[in-house]
Amino acid sequence: DRRHVGLLPPELEGMNFADAAVRDPIQRMAVQIATQLRPTFLSIGVEMNGYYESNPDDFLNYVDLHKETYDAVKAEAPGVRVFAALNLEALQGFFGALDEFSNHGPQWFLIDMFEPKLDAVAFSTLPYGFYIRAVLIPDDYLSRIELHTSRDILFTEIGWPGGSAEFIFTTQSQTEYLARTVQLVDAMPQVRLVTWTTLFDVDR
């Protein structure tokens, strides 16, 4: 549920990213992961523009936590690259019919809110809800991101459903989507990572 702060234990119920009881463990965990595992990339949130939609005030607290965590990680593990993660479809306002929170125009300005404490920007993108065939995905569907950031770009979650009798959700349609994504990404010099969503299809 991207509209709340995780599944907080009862003693933290009602708290948000302004509270030290929420912030401190997140930052400590991030630093521990950075120093012990030395990942190439690290983020403390996923699809956080979903949280901005319903909690814009507390989103500012999250951005502040991101920046503080960036500094804390860099102090202990300067080689770890810290990024912010957003959902591409929601960022562009594609879910306007979903609910009142999602009914908005493009929100590219959210990327700038994380500056300058940012080594890369990450996106999840699952366009099958808007295009019945991958070949219909516009040529600039992914590259338009480069108009809004000069940072490295990571696609931390891409995917297309499969394993269905429906013609748009088959192994073949997954293959077409992957080929189309490779084609689009190949023209984007800022891209550093592309990751498929899950190893196995899930029940829809």
Side-chain angles (χ1 to χ4, degrees), residues 157-190:
E157 180 182 350
I158 70 166
W160 192 284
S164 170
E166 303 173 51
F167 79 96
I168 60 173
F169 297 137
T170 64
T171 301
Q172 179 60 33
S173 63
Q174 287 181 321
T175 302
E176 292 176 359
Y177 169 68
L178 184 57
R180 180 60 171 153
T181 299
V182 170
Q183 181 185 41
L184 298 181
V185 166
D186 192 50
M188 297 176 63
Q190 292 172 230

Side-chain angles (χ1 to χ4, degrees), residues 109-123:
F109 62 87
L110 293 178
I111 299 174
D112 294 332
M113 293 177 68
F114 293 91
E115 292 287 358
K117 308 294 186 176
L118 200 60
D119 297 319
V121 186
F123 297 89

